[in-house]
Amino acid sequence: MRKYALVLAVSVALAVSGGIGLSSRSDPPSAEPIAADLRITPGDGRNLTAVIDRLEETLRRVPDDHLTWATLALAYVEQVRVNGDVALYDEAEEAVDRSLEIQPDDNVAALTATSALHGVKHEFRDALASADAALEIDPFHPTALVLRVDALTELGRYADQLAALRTADRRQPGVPVAVRFAYAYELRGDLPRATAILRRSATSATGGDRAHVLTLLADLERRRGRTTEAGRLLGVVRRIDPGYLPALISRARLATATGRLGRAARLWDRVVARADHPEHHVELGEIYAATGRHRLAHQQLDPLEEYATELDSVSLGRELDVALFMADHADPEVGLAAARAEWDSRKGIPAADALGWTLHRTGQSRAGLRFARIATRLGTPDAGFWIHRGLIEASLGLAGPARRHLAYALRLDPGISPAQRQRAARVLDRLT
């Protein structure tokens, strides 16, 4: 199984991104413009094979185009997100180095690609520094503006996140900024406002951007319990782009949310066939287990344990879903070490949730509750976060808060793991 890393690990559904190219206001016009007409969309899940082929072909004809080298680096980074092939990291780094070799000074495109590369490797402080360096050269660079927002989000600097969003909105308003504003409000529990932003954005978006925005909107509607509307939106996305992977993932979660677990298993099976990410195997295996297909569940989950034990803590920390899987099903100490490593690199709420839960699973529930409270401090309506907090509180005898938080969690997104919901429901029954 190939290693992988995702920048925004809250969940695919919570992930936000925007599409922008790397052309900069500071870059001089190229004698043979190539990259300027290509569009790379950080984090949107589109397969960039054709784009990469085109960029590579271009560079065979024009090998000294620093902008195309930088654009190719960003395309490699985005392809890692889609197919998990981390061998592309090396190619991305080589492309950035080549761009800087050609244009060593004021190369805002290469600095921006460097920021994206650091981000996908969960080196968020370096990602922020590179984005800032790019913005010192070109304060209006659209990619650098949103990558700065992403880095601040992952670092848990939420006040700075909003300030950076306002700056980006003044300088480069559009879909990339809008979807990040929606995510910022979603993090803070304001789903109606997040939904309204995406609906407005969808009215002006076209093509791939529209598929991206509508998929995010479908996820939000599912979390709000509006599953019929979520299905309608995903139907629109299928007409725009039948092969759009994030929409396939969203359809799988919608099937789970509506109790069609057989269909959910079939959809997750298709997801795994296209994107061999460990977190997808976790979701498919748990669906198989929930439907009593234990042999198939073991086929998905057993290799994960071997895979996880081969990783060092830092690498496993980039895959929090697998770290949580280890904490729940295999070796909690391995999960805890990974969660600690990830907490060292970023202070966002997903890392806090993972650390809190793995502390609890290793018998340190009092310490775990501190981080569970950090994970829920913004009021983010993520069912998993609130289930973890409620279960930790129940283990500490805090019956009132546990009842309140578990009941709240079970009113949230029904598209999460059936096993997780069942465990929360059992504990809630005992408390009432």
Side-chain angles (χ1 to χ4, degrees), residues 178-179 181-183 185-186 190-204 213-214 216-218 220-221 224 226 233:
V179 297
F181 254 125
Y183 180 51
Y185 287 118
E186 181 181 350
D190 194 345
L191 294 189
R193 192 168 186 178
T195 302
I197 290 171
L198 291 179
R199 285 199 178 279
R200 284 198 300 273
S201 184
T203 60
S204 59
V213 172
L214 290 177
L216 294 175
L217 186 56
L220 277 181
E221 294 291 17
R224 298 176 72 191
R226 300 177 60 178
L233 292 166

Side-chain angles (χ1 to χ4, degrees), residues 283-324:
E283 299 225 33
L284 177 57
E286 290 186 343
I287 291 292
Y288 278 143
T291 53
R293 303 165 75 180
H294 298 294
R295 182 180 61 80
L296 291 174
H298 282 295
Q299 287 179 358
Q300 296 298 321
L301 300 178
D302 289 353
L304 285 175
E305 184 175 346
E306 181 180 354
Y307 166 75
T309 53
E310 290 177 351
L311 294 179
D312 59 69
S313 298
V314 172
S315 298
L316 184 59
R318 295 172 188 155
E319 305 179 32
L320 285 180
D321 287 318
V322 184
L324 290 171

